[in-house]
Amino acid sequence: MTTTVPSSVGSALDRVESPDKVTGHARYAFEHSPRDVAYAVPVQATIARGEVRTVDVDAVLKCPGVIAAIWYANAPKLAPADNPELSVLQSPRVSYRGQYVALVVAETLQDAREAARTMKVEYATEQHDVELRADHPGMYRPNRVNPNFPADVEQGDPDAALAGAPVVVDATYTTPAEHQNPMEPHATVAEWDGDGLTLHDSNQGSSVVRDTVASLFGMPPANVRVISPHVGGGFGSKGTPHPHVILAALAAKQTGRPVKLAVTRQQMFAVTGYRTPTIQRVRLGADADGRLRAIVHEAFEQSSTLREFAEQTTTPTRMMYAAPDRRTTHRLVRLDVPTPSWMRAPGETPGMFALESAMDELAIACELDPVELRIRNEPDADPESGLPFSSRNLVACLRDGVRRFGWTDRDPTPGVRRRGRWLVGTGVASSTYPAYRSPSQASARAEQDGRFTVRIAASDIGTGARTVLTQIAADALRTSADRVQVEIGDSSLPTASLAGGSMGTASWGTAVVRACEALVDELDRRGGDLPAGGVEASADTTEEIKGRQRFARHAFGAQFAEVGVDTDTGETRMLRLLGVFAAGRIVNPKTARSQFIGGMTMGLSMALLEESVMDREFGDYLNHDFAQYHIATCADVPDIEAFWVEEEDPHLNPMGSKGIGEIGIVGTAAAVANAVHHATGVRIRDLPIRLDKLVR
Amino acid sequence: MRPFAYQRVTDAQAAVAALGERPDAMYLGGGTNLVDLMRLGVVSPDALVDVTRVASGTIEDTAGGGLLIGAGVRNSDLAAHPTVRRRYPMLAEAVLSGASGQIRNMATVGGNLLQRTRCSYFQDVSKPCNKRQPGSGCPAVEGDHRNLAIIGHSTACVATHPSDMAVALAALGATVHVEGRNGARQVPMPGLHRLPGDEPDRDTVLEPGDLITAVELPALPFTTRSKYRKVRDRASFAFAVVSVAVALDMSDGVVRDCRIALGGIAHVPWRAELAEEALRGAPATAAEFARAADAELAQARPLPENGFKVPLARNVLIRTLTDLVETP
């Protein structure tokens, strides 16, 4: 172990599983077909509030191929769940339209689907309420917001500071409900073997699914195995198990058959989470030179009656800019709607749309360049906690972006640049995302043939996790990446945190490094003498993470957008999008670029297109397919570039990395909206920026 | 599963006869809309009669100087055809603006004319819809109708026709060749599609068993100066919010003749006869184009959430006509 191997971290290693993916060898959850498998198709409530009275089970059982029809009255009883969404078929209560009320299991998917379609469900219907309003009488202050922040934070006297500020911006912004829509819909294949349950499942964390399912079925976690080698995207919607996972396991238990359950795209609009719509009032008080005196950011959001999910919309405002007097609040109303959940950068994404739009409005009010305004309000330490930042390079990102984008000679006058029939404008916004880390375990094994195997129940949801862990392990083992095999996506591997909160690489990478270090120590101790069967070492980072120093740890970025707005039609099209990010050490420039531009693409899609339309009469998200819920196509994605500044941060993790899965979407929508204002002189405060808001 | 029979026929009479024997059968062309509707449960035919081998896949010159397009011609072939591109550019542009490359490769001319509305309520069998289930109601009037009709709609239905191609054909005054139980006949466009009235379940004037065999374009020399403009929320793969097909015959700065149709605003591809009338003999200026647009759109009765389509249609009409004047 004395030879010097070039560092693998930092190199643009191709995805290690890409040959499997392009040749179809990579298997996704639904492609797993146990012998004698049956198919389950759920039935969804067609009322938004009330109770299931009866289900005509006998009629369904007469349908061809049907094995079982399960509903509240005949479903196996589950142990109580922390998340009431998961208590499927345990109550006749209907809490939102689209909630699962029954399940058909049949010999084929077609039989199951047809029987489910014809199943007669009778309801006792109650009046529903599905409309989010800031003045809704049911608005309340949640105890905590996701994942565990105080709902309200106040420092100083923001009302007095606002009253005394020479310049005040006071504006209300709204963002619609949006759905994550990963390419691969949710799917679970459940198979019981005595008291043991195996799930092939599409998720962002097999350890989490294992623990949750085991608890509901009253079993030790060791009895459940969750296998998820390849996952076609999640964006938060697969972060924790949704009810279909339980349904699949329950159906397999009831029928004694392995059961496949695939959630359809249409069903996903009710049962796999979404981003809450928000109403946000932002007030900024500043001196004439743009220095902030007061920041007040109030968010109004929704959750279901079933479960409180309170998104942390205003938390980025707590740490973005310096201002002595500040207040950030969250109010929530429980409506008869599906339960919202995580969607790529929950909180930061809608919150920063409002804050960064308001900053643009303030720059105009102060006649100040919007980049300069942000630099002028750069804090020395975290304004909320007073803690030092482990590193903060927002200003470097802004300055680098100014240079690369060609911002310097920008004329701030709105509505004056024409290119043919297009009005053209540019906008800027800041990005930020916390650098989290969670405890994980990993093992590393030296095989007899000189190769290494690293095991951890991490998830690669399309991000490149398997590849970067290979690189991280190679460096820690002082070997080359092609001699390292990383096994992930299986709950029988050492327990790991989930792929969420942009913390996968930091959390898993730490555990992998520690396991590899322990293995190297062990090998050194043995002096290169490898016993038959190899040598293994393992690590658990719980203590390391608990004991880390207190810092404010966040990634930052700056996004620059150029748009054209058609003078006749109001159609807005992206011309250019450029992001510069400061996210610690970049482990793999190739997969990192994909993460950044993927996030930015999702951000421009949010800015211009995405909206889940709530139907007030029926209480569901009406536009529940890809023909109606518009996501950016290739033609909508312009010249898009992502760069990063070199950032050394010794206070993060052994890799010196910050998460990059989510920061790309944060701030994009504000940069686009600010560019639309610069192009047209029209300030759009309600997303998405569609032509009906601009046509005159 | 819900079984259905599948039958392939090779001539029009056999197709019509096949449907005569099975009243719940439907013709299958490219399947790009019908198969979706079957999956959604919106339609459930007991048999599909595949007519892709009946319907001619050729495009031929007619004796009268027009063009006869077989109903089985795929959308991508129609858009790429040199004569179509040269003599009827609005038609090629309209077809190319629709759907995606893959769908255009499958979709047929006959099927394109008969595609159903993409109204959310029509496509969701858990909700009422007069078009899908007569008498059940129209939730779109009070619900989401941003993308729906502003002209010619009724209290029973506010759906729009989704086709781009049909808008160009309505402007061109195409003739639809139909084989039916009483032999062959021809249906003019506009005239194939019908306004909803109190029978919104009927999209067209076709009778049960009728099969579209071809679409004939008239010889209309000035259509070489024609254009299709589609306004949409997304840069590609999205239905028109509003679209316009226009052809202009000008001399000495005066409009001698014109053809105008609008898409995305009505239950039918909307031929703008009032605008055409206002323009004939008028100077080809933006002011006259605006007057013509206003003449047509005076009939508009937008719903609360789609009033923007009125200025949008006006602007696009004026702009597209102006662009045509400036086209060399």
Side-chain angles (χ1 to χ4, degrees):
Chain A
M1 291 305 234
T2 51
T3 48
T4 309
V5 181
S7 173
S8 186
V9 168
S11 72
L13 184 66
D14 287 340
R15 284 168 199 262
V16 294
E17 78 282 10
S18 46
D20 282 346
K21 282 187 174 164
V22 299
T23 57
H25 283 90
R27 295 290 166 175
Y28 291 78
F30 198 75
E31 296 175 298
H32 179 74
S33 288
R35 183 190 297 273
D36 209 25
V37 73
Y39 292 80
V41 169
V43 176
Q44 296 177 278
T46 55
I47 63 165
R49 183 187 171 98
E51 285 196 355
V52 176
R53 274 213 182 113
T54 60
V55 169
D56 191 349
V57 169
D58 293 342
V60 170
L61 288 173
K62 285 180 195 136
C63 293
V66 171
I67 300 164
I70 310 170
W71 67 296
Y72 160 65
N74 65 0
K77 294 296 163 250
L78 299 169
D82 293 339
N83 173 5
E85 275 277 5
L86 299 180
S87 297
V88 285
L89 310 185
Q90 301 298 296
S91 147
R93 194 78 211 141
V94 174
S95 300
Y96 56 88
R97 200 177 203 268
Q99 189 178 8
Y100 299 129
V101 293
L103 183 76
V104 174
V105 186
E107 296 291 345
T108 68
L109 178 60
Q110 290 77 9
D111 285 341
R113 188 183 283 173
E114 178 62 7
R117 189 186 68 83
T118 55
M119 180 182 270
K120 287 197 171 43
V121 182
E122 275 183 37
Y123 299 97
T125 307
E126 297 166 20
Q127 195 72 30
H128 63 252
D129 177 4
V130 294
E131 195 175 357
L132 174 66
R133 293 181 284 127
D135 62 354
H136 194 290
M139 279 287 172
Y140 70 99
R141 181 169 61 85
N143 282 334
R144 310 289 287 178
V145 295
N146 177 63
N148 192 21
F149 294 111
D152 294 2
V153 170
E154 181 161 323
Q155 291 164 289
D157 188 345
D159 297 314
L162 273 175
V167 185
V168 174
V169 166
D170 180 351
T172 297
Y173 306 86
T174 68
T175 59
E178 294 151 4
H179 279 76
Q180 299 94 338
N181 278 313
M183 193 80 103
E184 182 204 12
H186 300 62
T188 305
V189 182
E191 189 172 10
W192 289 85
D193 179 8
D195 289 336
L197 173 65
T198 302
L199 300 173
H200 285 79
D201 180 63
S202 182
N203 63 66
Q204 295 175 223
S206 55
S207 304
V208 176
V209 176
R210 174 197 61 193
D211 294 349
T212 309
V213 172
S215 142
L216 276 152
F217 285 89
M219 301 188 295
N223 286 23
V224 180
R225 184 174 175 200
V226 179
I227 304 171
S228 330
H230 300 288
V231 176
F235 306 121
S237 74
K238 298 172 183 170
T240 55
H242 287 285
H244 67 274
V245 180
I246 313 303
L247 275 184
L250 185 148
K253 192 179 179 74
Q254 178 104 332
T255 59
R257 297 268 295 269
V259 165
K260 278 195 187 201
L261 193 160
V263 182
T264 67
R265 184 66 63 188
Q266 288 91 340
Q267 289 168 344
M268 284 169 68
F269 281 76
V271 291
T272 55
Y274 63 99
R275 195 192 293 288
T276 176
T278 71
I279 301 165
Q280 303 176 56
R281 183 179 181 195
V282 181
R283 280 172 286 173
L284 302 176
D287 290 327
D289 68 355
R291 269 170 233 284
L292 285 164
R293 289 185 181 184
I295 304 175
V296 177
H297 188 172
E298 300 157 308
F300 302 88
E301 316 158 359
Q302 73 186 31
S303 193
S304 67
T305 58
L306 207 51
R307 178 182 170 223
E308 178 181 271
F309 176 81
E311 186 156 322
Q312 71 277 34
T313 310
T314 71
T315 56
T317 303
R318 294 173 183 169
M319 45 63 66
M320 267 317 279
Y321 300 114
D325 299 281
R326 42 208 307 138
R327 180 167 64 238
T328 48
T329 64
H330 298 85
R331 296 292 177 270
L332 194 67
V333 61
R334 309 287 285 276
L335 300 171
D336 303 310
V337 296
T339 307
S341 70
W342 302 325
M343 174 164 165
R344 205 172 197 172
E348 279 77 13
T349 300
M352 288 289 277
F353 165 67
L355 178 64
E356 291 298 294
S357 295
M359 286 295 278
D360 201 62
E361 301 202 47
L362 180 64
I364 291 165
C366 296
E367 296 180 11
L368 200 62
D369 181 85
V371 171
E372 175 57 28
L373 175 71
R374 287 168 172 86
I375 293 172
R376 222 166 258 194
N377 288 292
E378 177 73 1
D380 298 326
D382 177 9
E384 182 189 7
S385 63
L387 288 173
F389 286 102
S390 67
S391 57
R392 176 169 169 135
N393 284 299
L394 173 60
V395 172
C397 292
L398 286 163
R399 291 205 165 117
D400 194 46
V402 162
R403 181 179 63 81
R404 290 179 185 275
F405 189 76
W407 181 270
T408 312
D409 300 324
R410 178 180 185 262
D411 172 6
T413 318
V416 294
R417 285 152 301 276
R418 285 190 75 123
R419 203 178 294 165
R421 68 169 50 146
W422 299 92
L423 280 166
V424 176
T426 54
V428 65
S430 302
S431 305
T432 189
Y433 197 81
Y436 294 126
R437 197 161 52 135
S438 259
S440 287
Q441 299 165 18
S443 71
R445 182 176 190 82
E447 312 287 0
Q448 261 191 314
D449 60 2
R451 300 174 58 83
F452 298 90
T453 307
V454 173
R455 294 187 172 90
I456 180 166
S459 305
D460 193 331
I461 58 172
T463 55
R466 189 182 266 105
T467 308
V468 299
L469 290 179
T470 304
Q471 294 172 271
I472 290 165
D475 282 6
L477 293 164
R478 302 174 211 156
T479 187
S480 57
D482 60 2
R483 294 177 66 174
V484 178
Q485 170 86 23
V486 171
E487 293 181 7
I488 62 169
D490 186 332
S491 69
S492 68
L493 300 168
T495 296
S497 61
L498 53 83
S502 295
M503 65 183 176
T505 302
S507 309
W508 310 323
T510 303
V512 165
V513 166
R514 298 304 177 225
C516 291
E517 286 170 349
L519 178 64
V520 168
D521 286 350
E522 178 64 24
L523 291 173
D524 285 349
R525 208 166 16 248
R526 289 170 179 270
D529 179 26
L530 205 59
V535 173
E536 186 167 309
S538 61
D540 182 336
T541 61
T542 307
E543 291 308 312
E544 175 177 353
I545 287 169
K546 212 182 285 176
R548 71 179 182 170
Q549 276 183 283
R550 289 190 15 102
F551 278 101
R553 296 177 173 87
H554 303 267
F556 293 89
Q559 307 228 25
F560 294 78
E562 182 174 29
V563 302
V565 180
D566 188 298
T567 48
D568 298 307
T569 66
E571 289 165 296
T572 300
R573 300 288 185 250
M574 292 301 305
L575 301 175
R576 281 195 297 155
L577 194 56
L578 186 151
V580 182
F581 300 94
R585 190 170 177 207
I586 297 302
V587 177
N588 182 326
K590 185 177 276 186
T591 54
R593 180 168 280 110
S594 291
Q595 285 291 292
F596 287 132
I597 67 171
M600 293 163 74
T601 301
M602 209 163 173
L604 77 87
S605 190
M606 168 192 184
L608 300 179
L609 301 167
E610 293 189 37
E611 177 180 18
S612 303
V613 177
M614 171 53 69
D615 187 290
R616 284 196 297 272
E617 180 180 354
F618 298 100
D620 64 344
Y621 287 109
L622 183 68
N623 52 336
H624 53 215
D625 61 41
F626 281 175
Q628 302 181 84
Y629 183 94
H630 283 172
I631 296 169
T633 65
C634 287
D636 297 281
V637 180
D639 172 355
I640 182 167
E641 293 181 285
F643 302 94
W644 46 88
V645 297
E646 292 297 323
E647 187 175 75
E648 290 287 328
D649 186 334
H651 308 297
L652 297 170
N653 54 56
M655 295 74 64
S657 66
K658 295 175 180 174
I660 55 171
E662 287 161 283
I663 191 168
I665 192 178
V666 180
T668 323
V672 173
N674 296 341
V676 167
H677 178 267
H678 187 233
T680 62
V682 180
R683 175 68 60 181
I684 306 292
R685 299 188 182 90
D686 307 296
L687 294 182
I689 305 170
R690 283 193 312 225
L691 56 89
D692 48 295
K693 294 167 184 163
L694 287 161
V695 69
R696 291 286 184 271
Chain B
M1 64 181 286
R2 203 168 345 160
F4 61 87
Y6 171 85
Q7 182 182 358
R8 183 185 276 156
V9 292
T10 52
D11 70 80
Q13 284 80 16
V16 173
L19 243 66
E21 288 159 21
R22 302 186 82 132
D24 289 330
M26 293 179 80
Y27 295 128
L28 175 71
T32 56
N33 187 205
L34 177 59
V35 174
D36 284 352
L37 293 174
M38 289 171 70
R39 287 201 176 115
L40 293 170
V42 173
V43 296
S44 40
D46 66 358
L48 291 180
V49 177
D50 185 336
V51 292
T52 50
R53 296 193 181 181
V54 174
S56 148
T58 61
I59 298 174
E60 295 161 7
D61 292 317
T62 62
L67 215 52
L68 189 69
I69 303 162
V73 170
R74 306 285 171 173
N75 281 188
S76 34
D77 294 331
L78 176 64
H81 196 273
T83 311
V84 174
R85 288 164 58 96
R86 192 175 66 250
R87 281 167 45 195
Y88 308 97
M90 66 154 76
L91 178 57
E93 290 167 12
V95 172
L96 277 183
S97 74
S100 68
Q102 293 90 333
I103 290 174
R104 292 194 295 269
N105 285 342
M106 288 298 290
T108 62
V109 165
N112 189 321
L113 283 172
L114 298 182
Q115 57 178 313
R116 313 294 310 271
T117 185
R118 289 339 193 260
C119 174
S120 307
Y121 301 96
F122 173 72
Q123 296 186 102
D124 184 344
V125 296
S126 72
K127 292 173 184 152
C129 167
N130 285 327
K131 183 180 278 300
R132 196 184 61 244
Q133 203 179 341
S136 60
C138 176
V141 175
E142 299 282 323
D144 184 58
H145 52 246
R146 174 186 178 269
N147 296 329
L148 301 180
I150 57 168
I151 207 161
H153 49 286
S154 68
T155 51
C157 181
V158 295
T160 48
H161 195 266
S163 168
D164 291 296
M165 186 193 77
V167 179
L169 293 181
L172 290 169
T175 302
V176 179
H177 293 227
V178 177
E179 184 74 28
R181 289 178 189 159
N182 300 314
R185 70 182 198 285
Q186 298 187 355
V187 180
M189 283 195 64
L192 174 70
H193 302 92
R194 57 185 295 288
L195 291 176
D198 53 9
E199 276 186 295
D201 52 313
R202 291 185 59 212
D203 290 356
T204 69
V205 299
L206 296 183
E207 298 294 331
D210 278 354
L211 175 69
I212 295 176
T213 55
V215 173
E216 186 175 347
L217 304 183
L220 208 58
F222 70 85
T223 57
T224 53
R225 185 192 288 270
S226 70
K227 196 173 175 63
Y228 186 77
R229 172 76 197 282
K230 176 173 181 173
V231 180
R232 48 182 150 191
D233 288 323
R234 182 162 67 178
S236 125
F237 210 171
F239 292 96
V241 178
V242 163
S243 68
V244 56
V246 294
L248 262 189
D249 182 12
M250 287 193 314
S251 88
D252 301 330
V254 171
V255 177
R256 289 192 347 190
D257 199 358
C258 60
R259 296 286 185 275
I260 304 174
L262 292 158
I265 65 162
H267 198 257
V268 300
W270 186 264
R271 179 74 172 266
E273 285 169 358
L274 296 176
E276 290 180 7
E277 191 52 42
L279 272 188
R280 286 194 187 99
T285 62
E288 290 299 318
F289 297 153
R291 195 175 59 82
D294 290 338
E296 192 66 41
L297 294 166
Q299 318 162 65
R301 291 177 292 114
L303 300 160
E305 287 174 13
N306 66 7
F308 72 94
K309 283 191 175 185
V310 179
L312 180 60
R314 183 181 192 273
N315 292 353
V316 181
L317 194 47
I318 297 167
R319 169 63 62 192
T320 313
L321 286 163
T322 307
D323 284 351
L324 264 190
V325 171
E326 290 164 3
T327 304

